Amino acid sequence: MKPMKICILSSEIMPYAKTGGLADVAGALIGELKARGHDVRGFMPLYRGVRDREPSMRALAELTDVGLRLGDTSYLYSVLAGNFPGTGATMYFIDCPALYDRPGFYTSDADEHRRFILFTRAALETCRRIGFGPDVFHCNDWHTGFLPLYLKTIYSGEALFERSRSLMTIHNIGYQGVMSAAALDDLGVDGIRPLIDPEDLSAGVVNALRTGLKYADVVSTVSPTYAREICATELGMGMQATLLARGEPVIGILNGVDYREWDPRHDPHLGAHFDPRDLAGKRENKRTLLGDAGLTVDPSRPLIGMVSRLAEQKGFDLLMQVLPRCLAEHDCAFVALGSGEPRYAEFLEGLVRRFPGRAAFSGRHDEAMAHLIEAGSDAFLMPSRYEPCGLNQIYSLRYGTIPIVRNTGGLADSVRHFDPGTGEGTGCVFNDYDTAAVNWAIGTTLSWYADAPLWDRLVQNAMAQDFSWSRQVAEYEALYRRESDLAAVSSSA
Ligand code: ADP
């Protein structure tokens, strides 16, 4: 099959910058699509510290000190090229110290929207100047939401992009890039007001994600269930009408995971390795985890783990009621790793004080600890209010750590409720977002744990699941192909 030209834009890309699953998906697509023979170009901002991570980075003479005016301010940016690790796909880093040389990848600064408007414009301008006309511009989340509009306005006369299609992927519809309508001037598009959602304008705002969803040729999200939920329920967070107005379904492609990094057979973060035939290493990791976390329970007792952003989305308002009761009623232990909202960190610290030796919490970002929790826990708790895809429950399956999840989004698409009668299923899945349901799910999982042969069957089922990138990348590849074929048909018509 003919190789395609693919441009992937993301505000974060592994291994350069990561705060969540978006970085993993973008990195995997860039690496894997290149390995399949496509001409893949990745784009991201050159945040502080990123230069040190890519030794191959070099300046592009034709893209040095390029001027761009956003509203009343003129910026200069340069573009540095580098080779993506492993496969050597080309990465372009947009270097604009005035906007990106800051302590974090994301800020609450007044010019936050300009950081991503400039990123999007610079990516298009780079393609134009180097003569790269992609079959598909793959935009990810609100940061790249204005690209589809730019293709249909500023760049509409550009022959190079005549056949280029745009794909907008929603990784979390809760983050929309809502900015003051004053930002319209920064977009640099003549006669822009009629092109922007009138309700947003009358509320005095512009919504970057909504603009992307309106003008993209195709829209996708990171699981089939979330694709349905955001169109049909309040989980669309105000985007339902925009999505329905497109007249075609949102495509759901479940994220894959990188088993080179997340596999108990060779995980470099673990002191002991294991596989489904021999789980002695899992027990050893449990002992290590108990020791490292300061948990003093007998290793035969069930250990429930969590690795999570401390955010409302992840179900912490329920856990504040459920966990104290769970530890009071059940002879089990609990370990959590995560950073985020202080009120949830304070709750977890309080839990540790109330149940010394049985509850542990670390508020750091700690990659090694995340792997050890996946490997050493018996069950993994993820009671999310909503979850576009979620990665940790998929890691848990591979590590034989039974996921306890709510029946929503990617959790619903990756975990099947276990039926002790038939021995089928991979975890504990509950429906309602309330404390009774979480209590029920934890109690049920612990009752399965008490029955060793049943638990072993469940662990075997979980470890046999395969959610590797290859399936996911093949689905994106097929979608790009469909769009590129459609573009060919419409341009020859
Ligand atoms: P989200 O993107 O909504 O945060 P995901 O489950 O899709 O949730 O991805 C979260 C990723 O971040 C996982 O790879 C998880 O292991 C990692 N992670 C979250 N918090 C921490 C932490 N404190 N330390 C290490 N890794 C973390």
Side-chain angles (χ1 to χ4, degrees):
M1 272 230 229
K2 193 168 143 268
M4 289 179 284
K5 292 185 186 149
I6 300 158
C7 176
I8 296 178
L9 295 92
S10 178
S11 62
E12 48 185 270
I13 297 176
M14 267 300 265
Y16 306 112
K18 167 175 167 172
T19 68
L22 166 62
D24 293 315
V25 179
L29 281 177
I30 292 169
E32 300 283 327
L33 288 164
K34 171 73 180 176
R36 286 167 181 245
H38 300 292
D39 186 351
V40 189
R41 317 286 176 107
F43 282 86
M44 66 171 274
L46 188 74
Y47 302 115
R48 184 182 290 176
V50 169
R51 196 182 297 252
D52 305 334
R53 290 172 185 241
E54 187 47 76
S56 71
M57 222 180 266
R58 57 201 179 270
L60 294 177
E62 68 274 39
L63 282 147
T64 298
D65 290 335
V66 181
L68 180 65
R69 196 170 174 82
L70 302 183
D72 56 7
T73 311
S74 292
Y75 295 89
L76 283 180
Y77 69 86
S78 299
V79 182
L80 304 176
N83 301 327
F84 191 78
T87 53
T90 307
M91 278 295 306
Y92 297 100
F93 300 92
I94 309 302
D95 184 18
C96 180
L99 291 174
Y100 304 133
D101 188 13
R102 298 187 187 176
F105 305 143
Y106 305 113
T107 76
S108 315
D109 299 343
D111 60 356
E112 181 72 353
H113 64 285
R114 285 190 173 172
R115 302 175 71 228
F116 296 105
I117 290 175
L118 183 132
F119 169 55
T120 308
R121 285 285 302 268
L124 279 162
E125 197 52 33
T126 303
C127 290
R128 194 178 71 80
R129 293 195 188 195
I130 62 174
F132 184 70
D135 290 283
V136 176
F137 282 100
H138 187 169
C139 306
N140 293 280
D141 278 351
W142 75 263
H143 315 96
T144 53
F146 293 118
L147 188 137
L149 174 69
Y150 281 141
L151 276 181
K152 291 187 159 70
T153 53
I154 296 177
Y155 290 91
S156 64
E158 183 62 57
L160 191 64
F161 301 149
E162 203 179 353
R163 285 188 177 195
S164 298
R165 308 279 286 183
S166 58
L167 162 63
M168 187 84 229
T169 298
I170 304 162
H171 296 261
N172 187 335
I173 210 162
Y175 300 92
Q176 302 182 352
V178 179
M179 52 196 76
S180 155
L184 284 181
D185 291 340
D186 298 348
L187 286 169
V189 176
D190 290 337
I192 189 163
R193 288 190 81 85
L195 303 176
I196 298 295
D197 183 81
E199 278 185 40
D200 282 340
L201 282 184
S202 59
V205 298
V206 180
N207 183 314
L209 182 63
R210 195 190 310 282
T211 311
L213 299 180
K214 196 167 163 193
Y215 291 103
D217 293 307
V218 59
V219 172
S220 77
T221 188
V222 291
S223 69
T225 298
Y226 193 58
R228 289 190 295 274
E229 288 172 337
I230 57 177
C231 292
T233 74
E234 78 292 347
L235 293 183
M237 301 202 180
M239 289 295 174
Q240 298 92 311
T242 307
L243 291 170
L244 291 176
R246 295 182 52 81
E248 50 180 61
V250 173
I251 291 171
I253 299 179
L254 190 72
N255 285 343
V257 300
D258 188 347
Y259 288 129
R260 287 167 305 188
E261 235 185 285
W262 292 93
D263 190 322
R265 280 173 293 199
H266 47 69
D267 186 330
H269 295 288
L270 301 183
H273 294 129
F274 58 97
D275 63 40
R277 289 183 314 274
D278 182 1
L279 294 169
K282 183 163 178 67
R283 290 188 287 276
E284 196 176 324
N285 285 304
K286 183 174 181 181
R287 284 191 292 274
T288 306
L289 174 57
L290 291 172
D292 287 3
L295 295 170
T296 51
V297 293
D298 188 281
S300 68
R301 302 318 309 147
L303 172 61
I304 301 173
M306 271 192 92
V307 180
S308 178
R309 279 186 293 118
L310 304 184
E312 199 248 0
Q313 176 206 335
K314 302 291 181 178
F316 279 97
D317 51 337
L318 296 184
L319 292 178
M320 285 168 85
Q321 297 171 61
V322 167
L323 285 173
R325 180 170 158 192
C326 163
L327 284 161
E329 288 182 0
H330 300 286
D331 183 12
C332 65
F334 174 75
V335 57
L337 170 69
S339 56
E341 290 182 39
R343 59 188 168 135
Y344 298 134
E346 281 158 24
F347 156 69
L348 290 166
E349 284 157 6
L351 195 72
V352 174
R353 282 194 299 275
R354 187 165 156 199
F355 297 96
R358 293 185 52 217
F361 166 61
S362 166
R364 294 188 312 258
H365 187 94
D366 185 338
E367 200 69 34
M369 176 87 168
H371 285 248
L372 185 59
I373 289 178
E374 287 291 2
S377 304
D378 297 298
F380 193 93
L381 189 54
M382 227 166 149
S384 304
R385 192 164 72 78
Y386 71 95
E387 195 61 73
C389 176
L391 295 172
N392 279 299
Q393 83 282 9
I394 304 180
Y395 302 148
S396 299
L397 291 168
R398 181 51 62 114
Y399 286 76
T401 300
I402 301 310
I404 303 172
V405 301
R406 196 168 90 78
N407 191 13
T408 185
L411 300 174
D413 294 331
S414 55
V415 182
R416 277 176 295 119
H417 187 68
F418 182 61
D419 177 349
T422 62
E424 298 296 319
T426 56
C428 188
V429 184
F430 63 94
N431 287 322
D432 296 334
Y433 188 76
D434 59 32
T435 53
V438 189
N439 276 326
W440 171 84
I442 292 175
T444 300
T445 306
L446 295 180
S447 73
W448 294 336
Y449 180 87
D451 181 337
L454 196 69
W455 188 258
D456 188 54
R457 173 69 191 251
L458 176 52
V459 168
Q460 294 295 325
N461 291 353
M463 294 183 86
Q465 302 301 301
D466 185 359
F467 290 95
S468 53
W469 284 122
S470 47
R471 172 203 46 80
Q472 178 203 24
V473 172
E475 287 188 48
Y476 277 105
E477 193 180 28
L479 181 57
Y480 298 157
R481 180 76 67 194
R482 187 192 85 176
E483 289 303 306
S484 141
D485 290 348
L486 278 174
V489 169
S490 61
S491 74
S492 63

